[in-house]
Amino acid sequence: SQTIHQWPATLVQPVGSPLSLECTVEGTSNPNLYWYRQAAGRGLQLLFYSVGIGQISSEVPQNLSASRPQDRQFILSSKKLLLSDSGFYLCAWSQRTTEQYFGPGTRLTVT
Amino acid sequence: AQKVTQAQTEISVVEKEDVTLDCVYETRDTTYYLFWYKQPPSGELVFLIRRNSFDEQNEISGRYSWNFQKSTSSFNFTITASQVVDSAVYFCALSTSGTYKYIFGTGTRLKVLA
């Protein structure tokens, strides 16, 4: 069966510090991968998605970036965090147009 | 343009009551998919159901049922005999054939009171 992992589960970072969130998927190959952000009490905002290694599509211009160095690994990064980057970050995978399956999420607080 | 509207921001019911969560979608595509997800307090989104545009048959899974009506562009979700464990935020989502992206609604927070 397929499993999706995210780490860390929680993170507190000062403004201006770098960020690296990791997502890995097990039990499937060549998945579509997605990064979402959910601000407190709000809906989900798609940040990036990837249909293959090295292929990243950005949905919202911002100080975040994503990379997919391996088939089942998706990384969200920032060189300098802003207060507005605080939120709940969710990674998801799917096989083409089927349903997306979400990871447990990372709660990021920028102080 | 594609859009998903969940007009109910928050609903409170007493345990054992039935509750319906509304979802209205907009798309010009003839092939599309609709989804419902549950987000409990832990935060992880849990997939509940997928329905494609060619299948208007309603579905029942235990206490959950879904009513898909293309004529009104709605995909409503009913919980029968609600329980406290049903308390969560529920999201409706839309994707269209040929894209990999979901359009999420803003979610409905359901509170089931004991």
Side-chain angles (χ1 to χ4, degrees), chain B residues 54-91:
Chain B
F54 299 108
D55 182 4
E56 283 194 76
Q57 188 173 9
N58 292 331
E59 181 152 342
I60 298 174
S61 176
R63 297 184 296 107
Y64 295 173
S65 61
W66 291 269
N67 183 1
F68 176 30
Q69 291 194 336
K70 291 177 72 171
S71 61
T72 56
S73 297
S74 65
F75 186 42
N76 296 338
F77 173 30
T78 297
I79 301 175
T80 303
S82 60
Q83 299 176 2
V84 172
V85 293
D86 296 326
S87 297
V89 180
Y90 291 86
F91 290 96

Side-chain angles (χ1 to χ4, degrees), chain A residues 65-95:
Chain A
S65 62
S67 62
R68 185 171 177 173
Q70 299 180 41
D71 181 44
R72 289 169 289 180
Q73 183 185 30
F74 205 23
I75 297 172
L76 182 69
S77 304
S78 173
K79 292 182 179 179
K80 288 186 177 182
L81 283 169
L82 307 173
L83 284 174
S84 58
D85 291 324
S86 292
F88 188 51
Y89 289 81
L90 287 157
C91 181
W93 74 272
S94 74
Q95 285 292 350

Side-chain angles (χ1 to χ4, degrees), chain A:
Chain A
S1 64
Q2 299 86 6
T3 310
I4 180 168
H5 303 279
Q6 283 187 248
W7 63 90
T10 59
L11 192 60
V12 179
Q13 292 283 95
V15 169
S17 64
L19 174 73
S20 180
L21 303 181
E22 189 164 343
C23 170
T24 59
V25 182
E26 296 177 356
T28 186
S29 59
N30 197 25
N32 291 341
L33 296 172
Y34 311 82
W35 278 112
Y36 290 87
R37 178 170 61 198
Q38 186 178 30
R42 304 287 295 276
L44 290 107
Q45 178 186 35
L46 179 63
L47 301 176
F48 302 94
Y49 70 95
S50 171
V51 300
I53 295 175
Q55 300 179 60
I56 309 294
S57 296
S58 174
E59 288 296 298
V60 183
Q62 53 206 324
N63 69 318
L64 298 173
S65 62
S67 62
R68 185 171 177 173
Q70 299 180 41
D71 181 44
R72 289 169 289 180
Q73 183 185 30
F74 205 23
I75 297 172
L76 182 69
S77 304
S78 173
K79 292 182 179 179
K80 288 186 177 182
L81 283 169
L82 307 173
L83 284 174
S84 58
D85 291 324
S86 292
F88 188 51
Y89 289 81
L90 287 157
C91 181
W93 74 272
S94 74
Q95 285 292 350
R96 301 303 175 254
T97 53
T98 63
E99 53 274 13
Q100 294 181 16
Y101 294 96
F102 287 79
T106 295
R107 294 197 183 277
L108 172 65
T109 303
V110 182
T111 60

Side-chain angles (χ1 to χ4, degrees), chain B residues 18-72:
Chain B
D18 299 346
V19 58
T20 296
L21 309 181
D22 298 334
C23 173
V24 174
Y25 63 93
E26 295 177 26
T27 180
R28 293 181 181 176
D29 292 81
T30 56
T31 301
Y32 53 89
Y33 303 86
L34 296 164
F35 308 85
W36 274 97
Y37 284 84
K38 174 182 180 179
Q39 187 178 38
S42 62
E44 181 174 347
L45 266 78
V46 178
F47 166 73
L48 296 178
I49 190 172
R50 177 184 68 161
R51 177 63 79 225
N52 72 55
S53 53
F54 299 108
D55 182 4
E56 283 194 76
Q57 188 173 9
N58 292 331
E59 181 152 342
I60 298 174
S61 176
R63 297 184 296 107
Y64 295 173
S65 61
W66 291 269
N67 183 1
F68 176 30
Q69 291 194 336
K70 291 177 72 171
S71 61
T72 56

